[in-house]
Coordinates of all heavy atoms in Angstrom, one line a residue:
M28 N -162.9 -65.1 24.4 CA -162.7 -64.0 25.3 C -161.6 -63.1 24.7 O -160.5 -63.6 24.3 CB -162.3 -64.5 26.6 CG -162.1 -63.4 27.7 SD -163.7 -62.7 28.3 CE -164.4 -64.1 29.0
T29 N -161.9 -61.8 24.5 CA -160.9 -60.9 24.0 C -160.4 -60.0 25.1 O -161.1 -59.4 25.8 CB -161.5 -60.0 22.9 OG1 -162.0 -60.9 21.9 CG2 -160.4 -59.1 22.3
N30 N -159.0 -59.9 25.2 CA -158.4 -59.1 26.3 C -157.9 -57.8 25.6 O -157.2 -57.9 24.6 CB -157.2 -59.9 26.9 CG -156.7 -59.2 28.2 OD1 -157.4 -58.3 28.7 ND2 -155.5 -59.6 28.6
I31 N -158.3 -56.7 26.1 CA -158.0 -55.4 25.4 C -157.1 -54.6 26.4 O -157.4 -54.4 27.6 CB -159.3 -54.6 25.2 CG1 -160.3 -55.4 24.3 CG2 -159.0 -53.2 24.6 CD1 -161.7 -54.8 24.3
Y32 N -156.0 -54.0 25.8 CA -155.1 -53.2 26.5 C -155.6 -51.8 26.3 O -155.9 -51.3 25.2 CB -153.6 -53.3 25.9 CG -152.7 -52.2 26.3 CD1 -152.0 -52.3 27.5 CD2 -152.5 -51.1 25.6 CE1 -151.2 -51.3 28.0 CE2 -151.7 -50.1 26.0 CZ -151.0 -50.2 27.2 OH -150.2 -49.2 27.6
V33 N -155.6 -51.0 27.5 CA -156.0 -49.6 27.4 C -154.9 -48.8 28.1 O -154.6 -48.9 29.3 CB -157.3 -49.4 28.2 CG1 -157.8 -47.9 28.1 CG2 -158.4 -50.3 27.7
G34 N -154.2 -48.0 27.3 CA -153.0 -47.2 27.8 C -153.4 -45.7 27.8 O -154.3 -45.3 27.2
N35 N -152.5 -45.0 28.5 CA -152.6 -43.6 28.7 C -153.8 -43.1 29.5 O -154.4 -42.1 29.3 CB -152.6 -42.8 27.3 CG -152.1 -41.4 27.5 OD1 -151.2 -41.1 28.3 ND2 -152.7 -40.5 26.7
L36 N -154.1 -44.0 30.5 CA -155.2 -43.7 31.4 C -154.8 -42.5 32.4 O -153.7 -42.4 32.8 CB -155.6 -44.8 32.3 CG -156.3 -46.0 31.6 CD1 -156.4 -47.2 32.5 CD2 -157.7 -45.6 31.1
S37 N -155.8 -41.8 32.8 CA -155.6 -40.7 33.8 C -155.2 -41.4 35.1 O -155.7 -42.6 35.4 CB -157.0 -40.0 34.0 OG -156.9 -39.3 35.2
W38 N -154.4 -40.8 35.9 CA -154.0 -41.4 37.2 C -155.2 -41.6 38.1 O -155.2 -42.4 39.0 CB -153.0 -40.4 37.9 CG -151.7 -40.2 37.1 CD1 -151.3 -39.0 36.7 CD2 -150.8 -41.1 36.6 NE1 -150.1 -39.1 36.0 CE2 -149.8 -40.4 35.9 CE3 -150.8 -42.5 36.6 CZ2 -148.8 -41.1 35.2 CZ3 -149.7 -43.2 35.9 CH2 -148.7 -42.4 35.3
S39 N -156.3 -40.8 37.8 CA -157.4 -41.0 38.7 C -158.5 -42.0 38.2 O -159.4 -42.3 38.9 CB -158.2 -39.6 38.9 OG -158.6 -39.2 37.6
S40 N -158.2 -42.6 37.1 CA -159.1 -43.6 36.5 C -159.2 -44.9 37.4 O -158.1 -45.3 37.9 CB -158.7 -44.1 35.1 OG -158.9 -43.0 34.2
A41 N -160.4 -45.4 37.6 CA -160.6 -46.6 38.4 C -161.2 -47.7 37.6 O -161.7 -47.4 36.5 CB -161.5 -46.2 39.6
D42 N -161.3 -48.9 38.1 CA -161.8 -50.0 37.4 C -163.3 -49.7 36.9 O -163.6 -50.0 35.7 CB -161.9 -51.2 38.3 CG -160.6 -51.7 38.8 OD1 -159.5 -51.3 38.3 OD2 -160.5 -52.6 39.7
D43 N -164.1 -49.0 37.7 CA -165.4 -48.7 37.3 C -165.5 -47.7 36.2 O -166.4 -47.8 35.3 CB -166.2 -48.2 38.5 CG -166.5 -49.3 39.6 OD1 -166.5 -50.4 39.2 OD2 -166.8 -48.9 40.7
D44 N -164.6 -46.8 36.1 CA -164.5 -45.9 35.0 C -164.2 -46.6 33.7 O -164.9 -46.3 32.6 CB -163.4 -44.8 35.2 CG -163.7 -44.0 36.5 OD1 -164.8 -43.6 36.7 OD2 -162.6 -43.7 37.2
L45 N -163.3 -47.5 33.7 CA -163.0 -48.3 32.6 C -164.1 -49.2 32.1 O -164.4 -49.2 30.9 CB -161.7 -49.1 32.9 CG -160.8 -49.7 31.9 CD1 -160.3 -48.5 31.0 CD2 -159.6 -50.4 32.6
R46 N -164.7 -49.8 33.1 CA -165.9 -50.7 32.8 C -167.0 -49.8 32.1 O -167.6 -50.3 31.1 CB -166.4 -51.4 34.0 CG -167.6 -52.2 33.8 CD -168.1 -52.9 35.1 NE -167.2 -53.9 35.5 CZ -167.2 -55.1 35.1 NH1 -168.1 -55.5 34.1 NH2 -166.4 -56.1 35.6
A47 N -167.3 -48.8 32.7 CA -168.4 -47.9 32.2 C -168.2 -47.5 30.7 O -169.1 -47.5 29.8 CB -168.7 -46.7 33.1
A48 N -166.9 -47.1 30.4 CA -166.6 -46.6 29.1 C -166.7 -47.7 28.0 O -167.2 -47.5 27.0 CB -165.1 -46.1 29.0
F49 N -166.3 -48.9 28.4 CA -166.4 -50.1 27.4 C -167.8 -50.7 27.4 O -168.1 -51.4 26.4 CB -165.3 -51.1 27.7 CG -164.0 -50.6 27.2 CD1 -163.2 -49.6 27.9 CD2 -163.5 -51.1 26.0 CE1 -162.0 -49.2 27.4 CE2 -162.3 -50.6 25.4 CZ -161.5 -49.7 26.1
E50 N -168.6 -50.6 28.4 CA -169.9 -51.2 28.4 C -170.8 -50.6 27.3 O -171.8 -51.2 27.0 CB -170.6 -51.2 29.8 CG -170.1 -52.2 30.7 CD -170.7 -52.2 32.1 OE1 -171.2 -51.1 32.5 OE2 -170.7 -53.2 32.8
A51 N -170.4 -49.4 26.9 CA -171.2 -48.8 25.8 C -171.1 -49.6 24.5 O -171.9 -49.5 23.6 CB -170.7 -47.4 25.5
F52 N -170.1 -50.6 24.4 CA -169.9 -51.4 23.2 C -170.4 -52.8 23.4 O -170.5 -53.6 22.4 CB -168.5 -51.4 22.8 CG -168.0 -50.0 22.4 CD1 -167.4 -49.2 23.3 CD2 -168.1 -49.6 21.1 CE1 -167.0 -47.9 23.0 CE2 -167.7 -48.3 20.8 CZ -167.1 -47.5 21.7
G53 N -170.8 -53.2 24.6 CA -171.2 -54.6 24.9 C -170.9 -55.0 26.3 O -170.5 -54.3 27.1
E54 N -171.0 -56.3 26.4 CA -170.7 -57.0 27.8 C -169.3 -56.9 28.1 O -168.4 -57.2 27.3 CB -171.2 -58.4 27.8 CG -171.0 -59.1 29.1 CD -171.4 -60.6 29.1 OE1 -172.0 -61.0 28.1 OE2 -171.1 -61.3 30.1
V55 N -169.0 -56.5 29.4 CA -167.6 -56.4 29.9 C -167.5 -57.5 31.0 O -168.2 -57.4 32.0 CB -167.2 -55.1 30.4 CG1 -165.9 -55.1 31.1 CG2 -167.2 -54.0 29.3
T56 N -166.6 -58.5 30.8 CA -166.4 -59.5 31.9 C -165.6 -58.9 33.0 O -165.9 -59.2 34.2 CB -165.7 -60.7 31.2 OG1 -166.4 -61.1 30.1 CG2 -165.5 -61.8 32.2
S57 N -164.5 -58.2 32.7 CA -163.7 -57.5 33.7 C -163.0 -56.3 33.2 O -162.8 -56.2 32.0 CB -162.6 -58.5 34.2 OG -161.6 -58.8 33.3
A58 N -162.7 -55.4 34.1 CA -162.0 -54.2 33.8 C -161.1 -53.9 34.9 O -161.6 -53.8 36.1 CB -163.0 -53.0 33.5
K59 N -159.8 -53.8 34.6 CA -158.9 -53.6 35.8 C -157.8 -52.6 35.4 O -157.1 -52.6 34.4 CB -158.2 -54.9 36.0 CG -157.2 -55.0 37.1 CD -157.9 -55.1 38.4 CE -156.8 -55.2 39.5 NZ -157.3 -54.7 40.8
V60 N -157.7 -51.5 36.2 CA -156.6 -50.5 36.1 C -155.4 -51.1 36.9 O -155.6 -51.6 38.1 CB -157.0 -49.2 36.7 CG1 -155.8 -48.2 36.7 CG2 -158.2 -48.6 35.9
I61 N -154.3 -51.2 36.3 CA -153.1 -51.8 36.9 C -152.5 -50.8 37.9 O -152.2 -49.6 37.5 CB -152.1 -52.2 35.9 CG1 -152.7 -53.2 34.9 CG2 -150.8 -52.9 36.6 CD1 -153.3 -54.4 35.5
M62 N -152.3 -51.2 39.2 CA -151.7 -50.4 40.2 C -150.3 -50.8 40.5 O -149.9 -51.9 40.5 CB -152.6 -50.5 41.5 CG -154.1 -50.2 41.2 SD -154.4 -48.7 40.6 CE -154.6 -47.7 42.0
D63 N -149.5 -49.8 40.9 CA -148.1 -50.0 41.3 C -148.2 -50.6 42.7 O -148.8 -50.1 43.6 CB -147.4 -48.7 41.4 CG -145.9 -48.9 41.7 OD1 -145.6 -49.0 42.9 OD2 -145.1 -48.9 40.8
R64 N -147.4 -51.8 42.9 CA -147.5 -52.4 44.2 C -146.8 -51.6 45.3 O -147.3 -51.7 46.4 CB -146.6 -53.7 44.1 CG -147.4 -54.8 43.4 CD -146.6 -56.1 43.4 NE -146.5 -56.5 42.0 CZ -145.6 -57.4 41.6 NH1 -144.8 -57.9 42.4 NH2 -145.6 -57.7 40.3
E65 N -145.8 -50.8 45.0 CA -145.1 -50.1 46.0 C -145.8 -48.8 46.4 O -145.9 -48.5 47.6 CB -143.7 -49.8 45.6 CG -142.9 -51.1 45.4 CD -141.4 -50.7 45.0 OE1 -141.0 -49.6 45.1 OE2 -140.8 -51.7 44.5
T66 N -146.4 -48.1 45.5 CA -147.0 -46.8 45.8 C -148.5 -46.9 45.9 O -149.1 -45.9 46.5 CB -146.6 -45.7 44.7 OG1 -147.3 -46.2 43.5 CG2 -145.1 -45.6 44.5
G67 N -149.2 -47.9 45.3 CA -150.6 -48.0 45.3 C -151.3 -47.0 44.3 O -152.5 -46.9 44.2
R68 N -150.4 -46.3 43.5 CA -151.0 -45.4 42.4 C -151.1 -46.2 41.1 O -150.5 -47.2 40.9 CB -150.0 -44.3 42.2 CG -150.0 -43.3 43.4 CD -149.1 -42.2 43.1 NE -149.5 -41.5 41.9 CZ -148.8 -40.7 41.2 NH1 -147.5 -40.5 41.5 NH2 -149.2 -40.1 40.0
S69 N -152.0 -45.6 40.3 CA -152.2 -46.2 39.0 C -151.0 -46.2 38.2 O -150.1 -45.2 38.3 CB -153.3 -45.4 38.2 OG -153.3 -45.7 36.9
R70 N -150.7 -47.2 37.3 CA -149.6 -47.2 36.5 C -149.9 -46.6 35.1 O -149.1 -46.5 34.2 CB -149.0 -48.6 36.3 CG -148.5 -49.1 37.6 CD -147.7 -50.4 37.5 NE -146.6 -50.3 36.5 CZ -146.0 -51.4 36.0 NH1 -146.4 -52.5 36.3 NH2 -145.0 -51.2 35.1
G71 N -151.2 -46.1 34.9 CA -151.6 -45.5 33.7 C -152.1 -46.3 32.6 O -152.2 -45.9 31.5
F72 N -152.3 -47.6 32.9 CA -152.9 -48.5 31.9 C -153.7 -49.6 32.6 O -153.7 -49.7 33.8 CB -151.8 -49.2 31.0 CG -150.9 -50.2 31.8 CD1 -151.2 -51.5 31.7 CD2 -149.8 -49.7 32.4 CE1 -150.4 -52.4 32.4 CE2 -148.9 -50.6 33.1 CZ -149.2 -52.0 33.1
G73 N -154.5 -50.3 31.8 CA -155.3 -51.3 32.3 C -155.8 -52.3 31.2 O -155.3 -52.2 30.1
F74 N -156.6 -53.2 31.6 CA -157.1 -54.2 30.7 C -158.6 -54.5 30.8 O -159.1 -54.4 32.0 CB -156.4 -55.6 31.0 CG -154.9 -55.5 30.7 CD1 -154.0 -55.2 31.7 CD2 -154.4 -55.8 29.4 CE1 -152.7 -55.2 31.5 CE2 -153.1 -55.7 29.2 CZ -152.2 -55.4 30.2
V75 N -159.3 -54.7 29.7 CA -160.7 -54.9 29.7 C -160.9 -56.3 29.0 O -160.3 -56.5 27.9 CB -161.4 -53.8 29.0 CG1 -162.9 -54.1 28.8 CG2 -161.3 -52.5 29.6
E76 N -161.7 -57.1 29.6 CA -162.0 -58.4 28.9 C -163.5 -58.4 28.5 O -164.4 -58.0 29.2 CB -161.9 -59.6 29.8 CG -160.4 -59.9 30.1 CD -160.3 -61.2 30.9 OE1 -161.1 -61.5 31.7 OE2 -159.2 -61.8 30.8
M77 N -163.7 -58.8 27.2 CA -165.0 -58.8 26.6 C -165.2 -60.1 25.9 O -164.4 -60.6 25.2 CB -165.2 -57.7 25.6 CG -165.1 -56.3 26.2 SD -165.3 -55.0 25.0 CE -167.1 -55.0 24.8
P78 N -166.4 -60.8 26.2 CA -166.6 -62.2 25.8 C -166.9 -62.2 24.3 O -166.7 -63.2 23.6 CB -167.7 -62.7 26.6 CG -168.5 -61.5 27.0 CD -167.5 -60.4 27.2
N79 N -167.5 -61.2 23.7 CA -168.0 -61.2 22.3 C -166.9 -60.5 21.5 O -166.6 -59.3 21.6 CB -169.3 -60.5 22.2 CG -169.8 -60.5 20.8 OD1 -169.2 -59.9 19.9 ND2 -171.1 -61.1 20.6
E80 N -166.3 -61.3 20.5 CA -165.2 -60.8 19.7 C -165.6 -59.5 18.8 O -164.9 -58.6 18.7 CB -164.7 -61.9 18.8 CG -163.5 -61.5 18.1 CD -162.9 -62.7 17.3 OE1 -163.0 -63.9 17.7 OE2 -162.3 -62.4 16.2
N81 N -166.8 -59.6 18.3 CA -167.3 -58.4 17.5 C -167.4 -57.2 18.3 O -167.0 -56.1 17.9 CB -168.6 -58.8 16.8 CG -168.4 -59.8 15.7 OD1 -167.3 -59.9 15.0 ND2 -169.4 -60.6 15.4
E82 N -168.0 -57.3 19.5 CA -168.2 -56.1 20.4 C -166.8 -55.6 20.8 O -166.6 -54.4 20.9 CB -169.0 -56.5 21.6 CG -170.5 -56.8 21.3 CD -171.3 -57.3 22.5 OE1 -170.7 -57.6 23.5 OE2 -172.5 -57.4 22.3
A83 N -165.9 -56.6 21.1 CA -164.5 -56.2 21.5 C -163.8 -55.4 20.4 O -163.2 -54.3 20.6 CB -163.7 -57.4 21.9
R84 N -164.0 -55.9 19.1 CA -163.4 -55.2 18.0 C -164.0 -53.8 17.9 O -163.2 -52.8 17.6 CB -163.6 -56.0 16.7 CG -162.7 -55.6 15.6 CD -162.8 -56.5 14.4 NE -162.6 -57.9 14.7 CZ -163.5 -58.8 14.6 NH1 -164.7 -58.6 14.1 NH2 -163.3 -60.1 14.9
E85 N -165.3 -53.7 18.0 CA -165.9 -52.3 17.9 C -165.4 -51.4 19.0 O -165.2 -50.2 18.9 CB -167.5 -52.5 18.0 CG -168.0 -53.1 16.7 CD -169.6 -53.3 16.9 OE1 -170.2 -52.7 17.7 OE2 -170.1 -54.0 16.0
A86 N -165.3 -52.0 20.2 CA -164.8 -51.2 21.4 C -163.3 -50.7 21.1 O -163.0 -49.5 21.4 CB -164.8 -52.0 22.6
I87 N -162.5 -51.6 20.6 CA -161.1 -51.1 20.3 C -161.1 -50.0 19.3 O -160.5 -48.9 19.5 CB -160.3 -52.3 19.7 CG1 -160.1 -53.4 20.9 CG2 -159.0 -51.9 19.1 CD1 -159.5 -54.7 20.4
E88 N -161.9 -50.2 18.2 CA -162.0 -49.1 17.2 C -162.6 -47.8 17.7 O -162.2 -46.7 17.4 CB -162.8 -49.6 16.0 CG -162.0 -50.7 15.2 CD -162.8 -51.3 14.1 OE1 -163.9 -50.7 13.8 OE2 -162.4 -52.3 13.6
G89 N -163.6 -48.0 18.6 CA -164.4 -46.9 19.1 C -163.7 -46.1 20.2 O -163.9 -44.9 20.3
M90 N -162.8 -46.8 21.0 CA -162.2 -46.1 22.1 C -160.8 -45.6 21.8 O -160.3 -44.8 22.5 CB -162.2 -47.1 23.3 CG -163.6 -47.4 23.9 SD -164.4 -45.9 24.5 CE -163.3 -45.4 25.9
N91 N -160.1 -46.2 20.8 CA -158.8 -45.8 20.5 C -158.7 -44.3 20.0 O -159.5 -43.9 19.2 CB -158.1 -46.7 19.4 CG -156.7 -46.5 19.2 OD1 -155.9 -46.3 20.2 ND2 -156.2 -46.4 18.0
Q92 N -157.8 -43.6 20.6 CA -157.7 -42.2 20.4 C -158.8 -41.3 20.8 O -158.9 -40.2 20.5 CB -157.4 -41.9 18.9 CG -156.2 -42.6 18.3 CD -154.9 -42.1 19.0 OE1 -154.7 -40.9 19.1 NE2 -154.0 -43.0 19.4
K93 N -159.6 -41.9 21.7 CA -160.8 -41.1 22.3 C -160.3 -40.6 23.7 O -159.5 -41.1 24.3 CB -162.0 -42.0 22.5 CG -162.6 -42.5 21.2 CD -163.0 -41.3 20.3 CE -163.6 -41.8 19.0 NZ -163.4 -41.1 17.9
D94 N -161.0 -39.6 24.1 CA -160.7 -38.9 25.4 C -161.5 -39.6 26.6 O -162.7 -39.9 26.4 CB -161.1 -37.4 25.3 CG -160.8 -36.7 26.7 OD1 -161.7 -36.7 27.6 OD2 -159.7 -36.1 26.7
L95 N -160.8 -39.9 27.6 CA -161.4 -40.4 28.8 C -160.7 -39.6 30.0 O -159.5 -39.8 30.2 CB -161.2 -41.9 29.0 CG -161.8 -42.5 30.3 CD1 -163.4 -42.4 30.2 CD2 -161.5 -44.0 30.4
Q96 N -161.5 -38.8 30.7 CA -161.0 -38.1 31.8 C -159.8 -37.2 31.5 O -158.8 -37.1 32.2 CB -160.7 -39.0 33.0 CG -161.9 -39.7 33.5 CD -161.5 -40.7 34.7 OE1 -160.5 -41.3 34.7 NE2 -162.5 -40.7 35.6
G97 N -159.9 -36.6 30.3 CA -158.8 -35.6 29.9 C -157.6 -36.3 29.3 O -156.6 -35.6 29.0
R98 N -157.6 -37.6 29.0 CA -156.5 -38.3 28.4 C -156.9 -39.0 27.1 O -157.9 -39.5 27.0 CB -155.8 -39.3 29.4 CG -155.4 -38.8 30.7 CD -154.1 -37.9 30.6 NE -153.0 -38.6 30.0 CZ -152.0 -39.0 30.7 NH1 -152.0 -38.9 32.1 NH2 -151.0 -39.6 30.1
T99 N -156.0 -38.9 26.0 CA -156.3 -39.6 24.8 C -155.8 -41.1 25.0 O -154.6 -41.3 25.1 CB -155.6 -38.9 23.7 OG1 -156.0 -37.6 23.6 CG2 -155.9 -39.6 22.3
L100 N -156.8 -42.0 24.9 CA -156.5 -43.4 25.1 C -155.7 -44.1 23.9 O -156.0 -43.7 22.8 CB -157.8 -44.2 25.3 CG -158.6 -43.8 26.6 CD1 -159.9 -44.6 26.6 CD2 -157.8 -43.8 27.8
R101 N -154.9 -45.0 24.2 CA -154.3 -45.9 23.3 C -155.0 -47.3 23.6 O -154.7 -47.9 24.6 CB -152.9 -46.0 23.4 CG -152.1 -44.7 22.9 CD -150.7 -44.9 22.8 NE -150.0 -45.4 24.1 CZ -149.6 -44.5 25.0 NH1 -149.7 -43.2 24.9 NH2 -149.0 -45.0 26.1
V102 N -155.7 -47.8 22.6 CA -156.5 -49.1 22.8 C -156.2 -50.1 21.7 O -156.2 -49.7 20.5 CB -158.0 -48.8 22.9 CG1 -158.7 -50.1 23.1 CG2 -158.3 -47.7 23.9
N103 N -155.8 -51.3 22.1 CA -155.6 -52.3 21.1 C -155.7 -53.7 21.8 O -155.9 -53.8 23.0 CB -154.2 -52.2 20.4 CG -153.1 -52.1 21.4 OD1 -153.0 -52.9 22.3 ND2 -152.2 -51.1 21.2
E104 N -155.8 -54.7 21.0 CA -155.9 -56.1 21.6 C -154.6 -56.4 22.3 O -153.5 -56.1 21.8 CB -156.2 -57.1 20.5 CG -156.4 -58.5 21.1 CD -157.0 -59.5 20.1 OE1 -157.3 -59.0 19.0 OE2 -157.1 -60.7 20.4
A105 N -154.8 -56.9 23.5 CA -153.6 -57.2 24.4 C -152.8 -58.3 23.8 O -153.3 -59.3 23.3 CB -154.0 -57.5 25.8
R106 N -151.5 -58.2 23.9 CA -150.6 -59.3 23.5 C -150.5 -60.3 24.6 O -150.6 -59.9 25.8 CB -149.2 -58.8 23.1 CG -149.2 -57.9 22.0 CD -147.8 -57.5 21.6 NE -147.1 -56.8 22.6 CZ -146.8 -55.6 22.6 NH1 -147.2 -54.8 21.7 NH2 -146.1 -55.0 23.6
P107 N -150.3 -61.5 24.3 CA -150.1 -62.5 25.4 C -148.9 -62.1 26.4 O -147.9 -61.5 25.9 CB -149.7 -63.8 24.8 CG -150.2 -63.6 23.4 CD -150.2 -62.2 23.1
R108 N -149.1 -62.3 27.6 CA -148.1 -61.9 28.6 C -146.8 -62.8 28.4 O -146.9 -63.9 28.3 CB -148.6 -62.1 30.0 CG -147.7 -61.6 31.1 CD -148.3 -61.7 32.4 NE -147.4 -61.2 33.4 CZ -147.7 -60.8 34.6 NH1 -149.0 -60.9 34.9 NH2 -146.9 -60.4 35.4
E109 N -145.7 -62.1 28.3 CA -144.4 -62.7 28.1 C -143.8 -63.1 29.5 O -143.9 -62.3 30.4 CB -143.4 -61.8 27.4 CG -143.8 -61.5 26.0 CD -142.8 -60.5 25.4 OE1 -141.7 -60.3 26.0 OE2 -143.1 -60.0 24.3
E110 N -143.2 -64.3 29.6 CA -142.5 -64.7 30.8 C -141.2 -63.9 30.9 O -140.5 -63.8 30.0 CB -142.2 -66.2 30.7 CG -143.4 -67.0 30.9 CD -144.1 -66.9 32.2 OE1 -143.4 -66.8 33.2 OE2 -145.4 -66.8 32.3
R111 N -141.1 -63.2 32.0 CA -139.9 -62.4 32.2 C -139.0 -63.1 33.2 O -139.5 -63.7 34.2 CB -140.3 -61.0 32.7 CG -141.1 -60.2 31.8 CD -141.3 -58.8 32.3 NE -141.9 -58.8 33.5 CZ -142.3 -57.7 34.3 NH1 -142.0 -56.6 33.8 NH2 -142.9 -57.8 35.4
P112 N -137.7 -63.0 33.0 CA -136.8 -63.6 34.0 C -137.0 -62.9 35.4 O -137.1 -61.6 35.4 CB -135.4 -63.5 33.5 CG -135.5 -62.5 32.4 CD -137.0 -62.4 31.9
R113 N -137.1 -63.6 36.4 CA -137.2 -63.0 37.7 C -135.9 -62.4 38.2 O -134.9 -63.1 38.3 CB -137.8 -64.0 38.7 CG -139.2 -64.4 38.3 CD -140.0 -64.9 39.4 NE -140.2 -63.8 40.3 CZ -141.3 -63.6 40.9 NH1 -142.4 -64.2 40.6 NH2 -141.5 -62.6 41.8
G114 N -135.9 -61.2 38.5 CA -134.7 -60.5 39.1 C -134.7 -60.7 40.6 O -135.5 -61.3 41.2
P115 N -133.7 -60.1 41.2 CA -133.6 -60.1 42.6 C -134.8 -59.4 43.2 O -135.2 -58.4 42.7 CB -132.3 -59.4 42.9 CG -131.9 -58.7 41.7 CD -132.6 -59.3 40.6
R116 N -135.3 -60.0 44.3 CA -136.4 -59.3 45.0 C -135.9 -58.1 45.7 O -134.9 -58.1 46.4 CB -137.0 -60.3 46.0 CG -137.7 -61.4 45.3 CD -138.5 -62.2 46.2 NE -139.8 -62.5 45.6 CZ -140.9 -62.7 46.2 NH1 -140.9 -62.6 47.5 NH2 -142.0 -63.0 45.6
R117 N -136.8 -57.1 45.7 CA -136.5 -55.9 46.5 C -137.3 -55.8 47.7 O -138.6 -56.0 47.7 CB -136.8 -54.6 45.6 CG -135.8 -54.5 44.5 CD -136.1 -53.2 43.7 NE -137.2 -53.5 42.9 CZ -138.0 -52.5 42.4 NH1 -137.7 -51.3 42.5 NH2 -139.0 -52.8 41.6
F118 N -136.7 -55.6 48.8 CA -137.5 -55.6 50.1 C -137.4 -54.2 50.7 O -136.6 -53.4 50.6 CB -137.0 -56.6 51.1 CG -137.3 -58.0 50.6 CD1 -136.3 -58.7 50.0 CD2 -138.6 -58.6 50.8 CE1 -136.6 -60.0 49.5 CE2 -138.8 -59.8 50.4 CZ -137.9 -60.6 49.7

């Protein structure tokens, strides 16, 4: 499974928009635009998971620096999530 980072998304981009753009390269297991917990608005980036490594590589090369909804995407293989120290909770 290859996890792909997609940055510089339009604020109006939704999960389905991301999925549709990457399905042109092969099977997409999941596509998720990351939303801000407090405002409910897009944070401008998301992740796409593709099971086939070759299709994922083609998607990264094919979508990086391409336009989606008026924004030039930054696309690369996602780095593993780093554990961050938990700060004080905001309520």
Side-chain angles (χ1 to χ4, degrees):
M28 186 72 61
T29 302
N30 193 16
I31 301 168
Y32 167 83
V33 184
N35 202 36
L36 288 172
S37 165
W38 302 121
S39 63
S40 291
D42 296 351
D43 290 339
D44 300 319
L45 205 50
R46 177 179 292 277
F49 279 79
E50 281 181 334
F52 296 91
E54 181 184 352
V55 172
T56 305
S57 70
K59 182 80 176 150
V60 174
I61 304 303
M62 307 301 273
D63 185 278
R64 282 185 235 161
E65 293 179 21
T66 65
R68 291 184 55 203
S69 167
R70 293 189 58 199
F72 68 95
F74 295 93
V75 174
E76 287 186 334
M77 298 181 77
N79 182 297
E80 189 176 327
N81 291 330
E82 291 174 353
R84 197 172 307 115
E85 289 177 17
I87 291 169
E88 292 173 11
M90 293 298 294
N91 191 40
Q92 300 297 313
K93 297 298 183 216
D94 182 272
L95 180 66
Q96 296 178 323
R98 302 291 301 258
T99 302
L100 301 179
R101 287 190 306 270
V102 181
N103 52 50
E104 188 167 349
R106 294 188 301 257
R108 186 173 179 159
E109 295 178 10
E110 288 297 319
R111 296 185 303 180
R113 297 207 60 138
R116 291 187 139 212
R117 292 182 284 162
F118 293 97

